[in-house]
Structure formats: structure tokens, C-alpha cells
Amino acid sequence: MTNNIELGSAPLGKLMVKLAIPSITAFVINILYNIVDRIYIGHIPGSSSLPLTGVGICLPIITLISAFSSFAGSGGAPLAAIELGKSGKESEALDRAKQYLTNAFVMLLFFSVILTSFFFIFKDSLLMAFGASKDTLPFASDYLSIYLIGTIFVQLSIGLNPFITAQGKAKTAMVSMLIGACLNLILDPIFIFTFNLGVKGAAIATIISQAASAIWILLFLTKKSTVLRLDIRYIKFKLKTCLKIASLGISPFIMQSTESAIFIIFNTGLQRYGGDLYVATMTIMQSLMQLCFCPLQGFTSGIQPIISYNYGAKNYNRVKMVIKRMTSIGFAFTIVAFLVITNFPEFFAKMFATDTALISLAGKTVPVYFGAMWIFGIQMCAQTTFVGLGKAKISLFIALLRKVILLIPLALILPLFFGVDGIFWAEPIASMSSAITSGILLFFCYKKLK
């Protein structure tokens, strides 16, 4: 409860640092699960770009699995945090917060069963539809077959961790991710190189690591000393509660699931207009995009409980100060990231590949693809603000705008006129347009908080 009081009264600068640093660390660690896999796979001795391309083709499915985790976790955690903000005045608020946690847990178990079954049945057909060729399908199928076994661990580790952050326990949330990522970092070279298992070894290392994270999170959330804990008395499916979680969780779900759709459209388009080498290039660019934006995602995720708690406590001036500082920092971060990535593209490409043709191609396409990266921090901060305030409709619109309304149509239309280059130009055009729109909506929302 002390952590909850700090959300409403602690000096804002120190509080933001206290919550943001562990959250950033947790996000960076979490993204390293797949990034480290790709780095090791891209450096398998004597291999071409085919193993890396194969793993890249699995990204739409991996991203979609994570999206369902966010649907429950990112939908339920802000609602639980808002109730914790009310708990000092309302005796039933803590019970409602626990109901959000336990219903999210039930949803995650349900998603695990459905997703594992579905993707196992249609695995190879989906991979071919998502841009695999006869040369890359064996690598993609081997990796995904093993990864799907650990779907339940992915659901629980990603979906329940936001409920730890919602209590102000950012360091604990960080440790839960740190355990899995460090284990993955150690196990990857052992399974890939020592046991000579290639992409299969990378998948084995990943599911073992995710299992360790999930166990740690469950142990914390079931402790009696935990304020917001997974209480068996509340583990009951309640449609009304789940609908509230869904109304807010649909926005981050769409953000991630449409990312999956974009992977599919990009990969199939690049395969059609360019071939396997262009698909491998997109794998590198998506990896760099995740690596660049995950610190900002971690920052905004760590700050979100402050917004939710103080909004629930009707401390609107504090909410406005958080939004102002968060947006300024986010905008500055993306400007710096833009300058670094676009000036040294081949340096970063070498992290993921040894193929000189692939590195050369990445050097030409990365500056185009990241062309509007400098302004995109505004959209990420706007998205976090509206989710933190529980404004589901606006956050949903922002989620749909960039990817569904703009990026997907552009990625389909531009190649008809400009060939493979049109696919790379679709990203900066969509990002620039959606960031400006999001910034305008955030400005008016800020003005209304009185």
C-alpha cells in the first residue's frame, strides 16, 4: 500500500525514474528473447541468410500470441490500478482490483489452449501464406513447432507482469523478465552451437526461459503479502469484468495484432517483388525497430500506473505534469534514435547477419524505413496516456489509424507503382501521418484535464 501512496504523493521526477528504469529494463530484457535468437541464428557458421529468414517468417505468429497476452494484461492492469487509487476511500475497490487480476488470469489460460491448438493444426499452411518459400519453410516450421509448446508460459509471463507494475512494484516486474532473459542468453549458444540444434535450439532455449519467468510471476502474485494478489476466491469468470478488460485491452491488442498483419503483408510483398533476401532484410529492420522502441515502451509502461492512479484519485494536475514530462522525454528519445540508426545502418545490420549482400541491402533500405522514426514517440506517449486514463475509444482509434487505416493499404498500393521500394516507403508515410494526428488528440485531452 505504501507503493500506491507514493504514486499519488511522491516527488514526480524521482517517482518517474523509480518506475521507469525497472520497466525499461524489463521491456529491453523481454524483447531480447527473440532478438538474441535472431542474432545467434544469423551467425551460425557456414549458413546463409535462410535460417534468419525462416525465423523472421514466424514473427507474425509470435507477435499475435503476445498480442493476446496484452489483451488481458494491458487491459486489466490499468483498471486494477485505477481501483487501487480509489482503495483509500472505498473499501470495495481492492476487491474489484483483484477481480480484474483473476479474470485476466482465466482469460490467459483460455487463450493458451486456443492459440496452441490452432497454430499447430495450420502451422505450415500459415507459414507459406506468410511469405515462406520452399527453402525457408523447414527453418520456420522447426522453430515454430517448438515455440508453440511454450505458449502458456508466454501468455502468463507477459500477461500477468503488468499487474505487478500496477502496484508500483516495477523492480519486481523487472526481475521477472530478467530471470528469463538471462537464462535465454545463456541457453541459446548452448542449444544452438554446442548441441548443434540450430533454430530448434533457439526455440528450446526460449520456452525454458519463458517458463522460468512465468513461475516467478505466479509465485509473487500468490504471496499473502502482495496487495493485489491472485486470490483463489476471485478466480471465477465474470462476463461484465471481462468485457471491461476487453474494452481497454482491445487497443494494445490491435497495436500488436495489426503488427502481425503488417509482418504478413510486408513478407509476402517482399517475397513477390524481391525474394528471400528482401524478406531477410525486413527481419533485420523489424528487429531494429523493436530494439529501438522497446526502451520507450518500457518508459511509458512504467509511467502509466502514475497516470491511472492519480486519474482515479482525481488528482488531475499531477496527471497533466506526468503527460507533459513523458511526452517531452519520448519525443527527444525518438529523435536521437532516428539519427543513430539512419546514419549507421550497416553497423546495425552486422549485428544480425554475416551475409555481405544482405548487409549491403539493409544499408540502403534502413534509412528509408526509419524515415519518420523521429516523430513517432509522440504517438506512443499519446497511446499510453489514453490507455492510462481508461479512454478505450480514443486509444482504439490511434491503434487503428497508423496500421489498419494507413500502413496496410499503403504497403499494398505503393508497390504497384514503385515496386519493392514502395513497401519500404509505406512505413514513414503512415508513421508521420498518425503521429501528427495523435499529437493533436493528446493536446486537446491535456487541455480538458482540469
Side-chain angles (χ1 to χ4, degrees):
M1 192 62 68
T2 301
N3 286 278
N4 295 331
I5 294 172
E6 287 183 355
L7 292 175
S9 61
L12 195 54
K14 292 181 179 179
L15 181 63
M16 290 177 70
V17 171
K18 177 182 177 181
L19 295 181
I21 290 179
S23 182
I24 291 170
T25 305
F27 266 77
V28 172
I29 289 168
N30 184 51
I31 204 66
L32 286 178
Y33 276 112
N34 294 317
I35 297 292
V36 168
D37 283 353
R38 295 168 215 165
I39 291 174
Y40 280 124
I41 289 169
H43 289 82
I44 294 176
S47 68
S48 63
S49 61
L50 294 179
L52 180 63
T53 307
V55 173
I57 292 165
C58 296
L59 287 178
I61 295 175
I62 293 172
T63 304
L64 189 60
I65 290 172
S66 297
F68 278 94
S69 303
S70 296
F71 181 80
S74 297
L79 295 171
I82 290 172
E83 294 301 330
L84 289 175
K86 299 176 182 177
S87 60
K89 300 177 181 179
E90 298 180 34
S91 59
E92 295 179 354
L94 182 58
D95 288 339
R96 292 195 297 269
K98 289 180 179 180
Q99 288 174 8
Y100 286 123
L101 169 59
T102 52
N103 276 266
F105 176 70
V106 172
M107 293 169 71
L108 291 167
L109 294 179
F110 174 75
F111 292 153
S112 300
V113 174
I114 298 300
L115 292 170
T116 303
S117 302
F118 175 81
F119 286 122
F120 259 121
I121 293 170
F122 300 105
K123 172 172 56 69
D124 286 352
S125 299
L126 289 172
L127 290 172
M128 289 299 294
F130 294 169
S133 66
K134 60 181 180 61
D135 296 320
T136 58
L137 179 62
F139 297 103
S141 183
D142 286 347
Y143 184 87
L144 189 61
S145 295
I146 296 172
Y147 185 89
L148 288 174
I149 297 172
T151 299
I152 187 170
F153 304 130
V154 176
Q155 290 293 302
L156 294 179
S157 61
I158 299 176
L160 293 180
N161 212 38
F163 287 94
I164 299 178
T165 307
Q167 304 176 58
K169 296 283 188 177
K171 289 183 180 179
T172 304
M174 177 191 70
V175 171
S176 67
M177 293 292 102
L178 185 62
I179 290 171
C182 289
L183 190 57
N184 191 46
L185 191 64
I186 295 169
L187 294 179
D188 253 338
I190 295 174
F191 284 109
I192 294 172
F193 302 116
T194 305
F195 295 157
N196 199 30
L197 293 175
V199 295
K200 291 181 180 179
I204 293 171
T206 298
I207 64 171
I208 292 174
S209 304
Q210 290 281 16
S213 290
I215 292 170
W216 167 269
I217 292 169
L218 288 172
L219 288 174
F220 175 82
L221 288 176
T222 52
K223 287 196 309 182
K224 290 185 178 179
S225 59
T226 302
V227 175
L228 179 60
R229 69 176 185 272
L230 198 57
D231 196 326
I232 193 171
R233 293 176 298 174
Y234 296 94
I235 298 182
K236 183 185 296 184
F237 178 82
K238 290 189 175 182
L239 181 60
K240 185 177 180 180
T241 302
C242 289
L243 288 175
K244 288 183 179 179
I245 293 173
S247 68
L248 195 56
I250 192 67
S251 174
F253 172 79
I254 288 176
M255 286 288 287
Q256 291 192 43
S257 60
T258 50
E259 194 73 30
S260 178
I262 290 167
F263 285 151
I264 295 169
I265 291 170
F266 278 1
N267 286 344
T268 54
L270 291 169
Q271 184 66 250
R272 181 184 305 114
Y273 294 100
D276 286 336
L277 193 64
Y278 279 86
V279 177
T281 306
M282 181 56 66
T283 302
I284 291 175
M285 288 192 290
Q286 292 292 351
S287 300
L288 287 176
M289 186 73 81
Q290 291 175 329
L291 203 55
C292 288
F293 281 127
C294 73
L296 183 55
Q297 286 179 305
F299 170 72
T300 56
S301 178
I303 301 304
Q304 185 178 295
I306 309 177
I307 296 174
S308 298
Y309 182 92
N310 287 281
Y311 186 68
K314 297 184 179 181
N315 191 355
Y316 300 132
N317 284 334
R318 190 169 173 86
V319 173
K320 292 179 73 173
M321 286 190 290
V322 175
I323 294 172
K324 185 177 180 178
R325 294 189 185 187
M326 177 181 67
T327 306
S328 299
I329 294 171
F331 185 43
F333 174 85
T334 49
I335 290 176
V336 173
F338 163 78
L339 293 173
V340 173
I341 291 290
T342 55
N343 281 286
F344 305 100
E346 292 190 3
F347 170 81
F348 291 100
K350 289 177 182 177
M351 292 172 52
F352 299 91
T354 56
D355 188 322
T356 54
L358 178 57
I359 293 170
S360 177
L361 182 59
K364 298 175 183 177
T365 54
V366 165
V368 175
Y369 189 78
F370 283 81
M373 181 183 182
W374 62 275
I375 196 175
F376 195 63
I378 293 176
Q379 174 163 338
M380 296 185 69
C381 293
Q383 185 74 31
T384 298
T385 297
F386 291 122
V387 171
L389 297 176
K391 296 184 179 295
K393 291 182 180 179
I394 301 177
S395 61
L396 175 59
F397 169 72
I398 294 175
L400 290 170
L401 177 63
R402 172 178 168 262
K403 297 177 180 179
V404 177
I405 299 175
L406 296 173
L407 185 53
I408 290 178
L410 286 170
L412 293 172
I413 295 170
L414 291 181
L416 299 176
F417 301 96
F418 305 105
V420 71
D421 291 339
I423 298 176
F424 297 112
W425 277 106
E427 174 66 35
I429 294 172
S431 294
M432 177 71 75
S433 302
S434 62
I436 292 173
T437 304
S438 301
I440 293 171
L441 291 173
L442 179 61
F443 174 78
F444 285 110
C445 175
Y446 181 88
K447 289 293 184 181
K448 288 180 180 179
L449 284 171
K450 297 180 180 179

